[in-house]
Amino acid sequence: MKNMKKALCLLLALSLTLCCALALAQDYSATEKGFGGDVTVTLTIEDKTITAAKAEGPSETDGIGSKAIESMPAAMVEQNSVKVDGVASATISSNAVLAAAEKALAAAGLTPDDLVANEVAQEAAPVEPAFENPDVIVVGAGSTGVNAAIAAANAGAKVYLIEKNDDVGGSIRFAGGTTSAAGARQQIEAGVEDSPENFAEDIVRMGGGTNIPELTKKHTENAAAAVDWLDDLGADFGDRLPKMSSSYDAFNVPREYRVTGGGKAIIGLIRPLLDEAVAAGSVSLMLNTEVADIIVEDGAVKGVVLTDGREFRAPATVLTTGGYGHNEELLHKYNYENVLTMAPSFVTGDGYRFAEKAGAQFNNMDYLPAYPGGVPDAGFDVTTTAIVKEYNGAIWVNTDGERIVNEYDALDSERKHAYAAAPHNLVYMILTQAMRDTQDSIISKDEGWAKFDALLAQENCVVKAGTVEELAGKIGVDAAALAATIEAYNADVEKGEDTAFGRPAESMMKLEGPFYAVKTCPYVMLTKGGPVMNPDAQVLDTAGNPIPGLYEGGELAGGANIGGSANIGGLANTSTIVWGKIAGESAAAYAASQK
């Protein structure tokens, strides 16, 4: 009997020990909104140690946000910390992983400071070039830079292609697959009559004449060859029929050609050509390598300086560094008082700083057609947007309490201009309880008004009021002005006619309390101004003369300089090929002339 009791006691002790062990090693999960959808992080915690971590985000962009999903959990385990480095090209996805991990940690009753962080590995050794004495240095390995490097190598140059991220592709990996050209073979196959001259006239009509004519001419004359080249590389253009724009103001003929798989597919088609050039020894690709400055001597650009202090010299330098969409300072300087961004975090305007040092002339920097409807609820990166088209009833007012546009079906350019012109670039979307009761949420991708209600509970960009006067007080708008605006709108509802902006009568609903207001501002993806260049992609100084040894292309060169003050469908993607090739060939020719 004693032996049996001992055995039972031992078994009980073992069971308790096992239960305690199981209690110490538990899984805790939490979810945050990422770039494309929900991101969920699960941490396995044992004795204040992260023993396992997993992130899931099936809607995050493949090859970009997916890198954060794949790599960051391993770093959390390695460092025993939820404060790990994100992926530079995937800020929103990275922030979602970090926020979800911290929430999961809180569910375990811990704070980040409760974890004892492990020593992290030393930084990787600097990337060494494959050869010395390059002819051309290309700064930035987005689509434009890759095309420039290939073109320069094909022209006989030895090329350094330098990229601060861990892979090539840049912003095009976030882009749709739209290209545009007059006279592409698909347009010819469809029997659509078009010409570069017609395309250029369309750009002037749509863009208000702010384009630089010789750049527009060069682009429209070379765009068809660029689209046909993608076709030759095997791009999937679907039904191959030229399209009218579905997102921006329309061309006068169908002129868009959409690559299935988007910008990622475009760079995927071009990447093998770069790999061939690298294998052949004509291009040295240096990833995870950042340029801090350019070398200017006697008015000519002679090379670059890296962040680690190394200097690389070459007769010609090509800047393909992208825009400045993730640089708050430059956005405030040139464009908006209140603004958000969906540009990748690496798009920080480096090339603008380099070109300015070289004495470049800038143009169209004040033009930036940002997207309307960003909700500034969580910092600089846009995480929440409002529906800005075909939402019944709601009106938009500026900080003066005035309506600013046909809220229902205005043109893309009209909506963007309304936000750009609004005082402080702030716009309040006003709706009523009746609209809420009969429609889906005015917040994009908001199931059952859940996000709307969460913001409302915090009064974080969403407020509720019983009267116009109370609403005006909560959003900081003059009560008399707002009341007059709502009274005029309601009178138009009664008449069945929007006398202010011509909005369809069937989309109008009377504004009667309770009221809601959603605070919004513009958010950017691409920037549109840039250093002026000539048709050979040479950057020009303030006197209009080429700066010796300096070339450019892509977003840095300014879409408005080529396409005017309008969003021209497919212009940006096509420009990466057109101007990448021109810049690479011109730089190679200049380098050869210096030998």
Side-chain angles (χ1 to χ4, degrees):
M1 191 68 176
K2 287 183 178 180
N3 288 338
M4 184 177 292
K5 286 182 177 179
K6 286 182 179 180
L8 287 172
C9 288
L10 180 60
L11 181 60
L12 181 59
L14 288 172
S15 298
L16 288 171
T17 301
L18 180 59
C19 287
C20 289
L22 289 174
L24 287 172
Q26 292 190 35
D27 290 344
Y28 301 90
S29 297
T31 298
E32 275 286 334
K33 182 175 173 57
F35 185 80
D38 285 344
V39 171
T40 299
V41 173
T42 301
L43 302 178
T44 303
I45 308 291
E46 182 175 358
D47 192 25
K48 296 185 179 180
T49 300
I50 302 173
T51 59
K54 179 176 71 172
E56 297 172 286
S59 299
E60 299 309 281
T61 307
D62 187 33
I64 305 168
S66 64
K67 288 186 176 181
I69 301 296
E70 294 162 4
S71 65
M72 292 176 68
M76 291 177 183
V77 175
E78 179 185 1
Q79 299 175 32
N80 193 39
S81 174
V82 294
K83 294 183 176 181
V84 299
D85 290 338
V87 175
S89 58
T91 303
I92 296 176
S93 299
S94 297
N95 288 343
V97 172
L98 293 171
E102 190 159 339
K103 284 169 67 175
L105 194 64
L110 300 171
T111 70
D113 292 337
D114 292 328
L115 304 178
V116 179
N118 298 324
E119 292 289 333
V120 296
Q122 292 185 343
E123 291 185 7
V127 178
E128 296 294 337
F131 49 80
E132 296 181 349
N133 302 318
D135 302 303
V136 175
I137 296 173
V138 180
V139 184
S143 181
T144 308
V146 168
N147 281 301
I150 294 168
N154 288 342
K158 289 282 193 177
V159 183
Y160 283 1
L161 177 57
I162 303 175
E163 170 58 49
K164 64 183 178 181
N165 291 311
D166 61 0
D167 201 359
V168 305
S171 294
I172 202 170
R173 294 175 296 170
F174 297 83
T178 302
T179 60
S180 60
R185 68 170 64 108
Q186 295 168 62
Q187 202 179 36
I188 295 170
E189 290 168 2
V192 176
E193 293 187 10
D194 201 3
S195 67
E197 293 77 18
N198 185 39
F199 191 0
E201 289 172 4
D202 229 4
I203 284 174
V204 173
R205 171 185 65 83
M206 298 165 71
T210 59
N211 59 300
I212 299 174
E214 54 266 34
L215 299 185
T216 305
K217 182 175 186 293
K218 187 82 167 189
H219 179 86
T220 56
E221 289 175 348
N222 286 271
V227 175
D228 289 348
W229 181 65
L230 284 179
D231 198 18
D232 292 338
L233 291 178
D236 178 3
F237 284 101
D239 61 13
R240 297 185 62 80
L241 294 175
K243 306 289 193 304
M244 299 294 280
S245 179
S246 60
S247 302
Y248 305 131
D249 297 354
F251 291 128
N252 57 20
V253 297
R255 195 182 285 132
E256 288 187 0
Y257 321 91
R258 298 169 191 165
V259 177
T260 302
K264 277 184 56 189
I266 292 174
I267 194 65
L269 292 167
I270 300 169
R271 177 65 188 262
L273 303 180
L274 174 64
D275 293 341
E276 289 176 11
V278 171
S282 54
V283 174
S284 176
L285 173 61
M286 286 174 278
L287 300 174
N288 296 307
T289 305
E290 186 170 357
V291 172
D293 203 356
I294 59 171
I295 301 169
V296 181
E297 294 176 353
D298 299 324
V301 176
K302 299 290 188 178
V304 301
V305 181
L306 304 187
T307 52
D308 61 15
R310 288 182 293 168
E311 290 188 2
F312 293 143
R313 289 176 173 263
T317 298
V318 182
L319 299 179
T320 54
T321 53
Y324 59 91
H326 211 281
N327 187 317
E328 280 192 84
E329 181 182 353
L330 291 183
L331 287 172
H332 291 317
K333 175 181 178 180
Y334 289 114
N335 309 113
Y336 299 107
E337 181 179 341
N338 285 283
V339 65
L340 303 173
T341 188
M342 64 180 300
S345 59
F346 55 79
V347 184
T348 52
D350 301 340
Y352 297 81
R353 177 165 50 86
F354 302 153
E356 185 175 35
K357 177 179 178 177
Q361 174 187 163
F362 288 79
N363 192 52
N364 280 316
M365 293 298 292
D366 59 338
Y367 174 69
L368 202 175
Y371 296 95
V375 180
D377 61 325
F380 182 45
D381 289 291
V382 63
T383 58
T384 305
T385 60
I387 294 173
V388 296
K389 191 173 184 180
E390 298 182 354
Y391 194 89
N392 284 325
I395 65 168
W396 304 355
V397 300
N398 60 22
T399 54
D400 293 328
E402 301 166 339
R403 285 179 67 204
I404 58 175
V405 75
N406 170 351
E407 302 91 348
Y408 188 77
D409 58 1
L411 293 173
D412 171 77
S413 57
E414 292 171 337
R415 283 179 274 129
K416 290 175 176 174
H417 174 73
Y419 268 74
H424 313 293
N425 310 117
L426 290 176
V427 175
Y428 292 93
M429 297 183 176
I430 297 177
L431 62 155
T432 66
Q433 186 67 46
M435 295 170 199
R436 173 176 177 150
D437 291 342
T438 57
Q439 299 183 97
D440 291 335
S441 176
I442 199 168
I443 300 296
S444 302
K445 300 178 182 178
D446 184 15
E447 292 290 333
W449 294 79
K451 179 69 172 179
F452 184 95
D453 285 339
L455 295 175
L456 176 61
Q458 304 166 19
E459 291 207 336
N460 182 8
C461 299
V462 178
V463 296
K464 182 178 182 179
T467 66
V468 172
E469 291 73 18
E470 183 186 5
L471 182 69
K474 286 192 172 185
I475 63 177
V477 170
D478 181 76
L482 182 60
T485 294
I486 291 177
E487 183 179 348
Y489 179 76
N490 285 342
D492 281 353
V493 174
E494 293 283 349
K495 288 186 292 187
E497 177 189 7
D498 180 10
T499 58
F501 294 102
R503 175 174 173 164
E506 60 271 19
S507 74
M508 301 169 68
M509 298 172 63
K510 205 162 186 178
L511 293 168
E512 297 175 329
F515 300 97
Y516 298 92
V518 181
K519 179 181 180 180
T520 68
C521 67
Y523 64 98
V524 305
M525 177 64 177
L526 298 177
T527 50
K528 288 290 188 174
V532 177
M533 63 182 177
N534 66 18
D536 293 325
Q538 293 174 289
V539 179
L540 305 182
D541 64 19
T542 53
N545 301 312
I547 299 172
L550 187 61
Y551 299 80
E552 68 172 347
E555 188 179 352
L556 169 66
N561 292 334
I562 299 166
S565 299
N567 276 325
I568 304 297
L571 182 82
N573 287 341
T574 313
S575 287
T576 69
I577 300 171
V578 170
W579 293 99
K581 289 176 179 287
I582 292 171
E585 291 167 357
S586 297
Y590 177 81
S593 74
Q594 300 303 299
K595 292 182 178 179

